[in-house]
Amino acid sequence: MPISLHAATVPTMLQLLGSAHGWIDKAREHGLSEDTMASGCLIEDMLPFAYQIKSMAHHSKGAIEGLRAGVFGPDMTDPPTTCDGLHAKLTEAEEFLRALDPAELDSLADGPMRFEYREFNVPFTPVDFLLSFSQPNFFFHATTAYDILRASGVPLGKTDYLGMIRAKQG
């Protein structure tokens, strides 16, 4: 049975964006200050938690916007640094993905697509862009955000990472 591009990407993005809300809430409940949470990183040369959350939104909502435009690049804006701002960034991506017409996403599968950053330019098919570039980046940033909070002592477990799985009903 063939699977649509929408089915291969959007539901899992929504699942982990939802999970990330829970990570932020657990960090607050655990007593992690907003500043400590937003600036937390695993090692000095790695970007902080707030950037990881921003990048989850960028490699979900931003990736689809990139497909529409035929070009995608990094989001160089500063990430939100408050819990409310982080939640808002996640919610914005979730609302965008929920409103996305599956047929529209699937219709973008044959269009032009490239990644651009400074002089770096990589041509992609839209399918390869989503499945070999944006989706792995999305998972990287989700995992890194989760790991930053775990390394900060926040009591998160695997079910916190997975969130609401899509189990067969009935």
Side-chain angles (χ1 to χ4, degrees), residues 59 66-67 70-73 108-117 120-137:
H59 281 284
L67 285 179
V71 63
F72 178 87
L108 297 171
D110 296 321
M113 189 61 207
R114 71 185 180 283
F115 172 81
E116 288 183 357
Y117 180 62
F120 192 65
N121 185 330
V122 180
F124 283 103
T125 67
V127 172
D128 288 341
F129 166 74
L130 275 181
L131 298 180
S132 77
F133 183 77
S134 254
Q135 194 172 55
N137 269 286

Side-chain angles (χ1 to χ4, degrees), residues 59-93:
H59 281 284
S60 55
K61 176 187 181 224
I64 306 304
E65 291 173 331
L67 285 179
R68 287 175 173 163
V71 63
F72 178 87
D75 177 357
M76 303 306 287
T77 62
D78 290 334
T81 57
T82 65
C83 291
D84 288 345
L86 294 167
H87 279 302
K89 182 59 84 173
L90 294 167
T91 298
E92 178 186 347

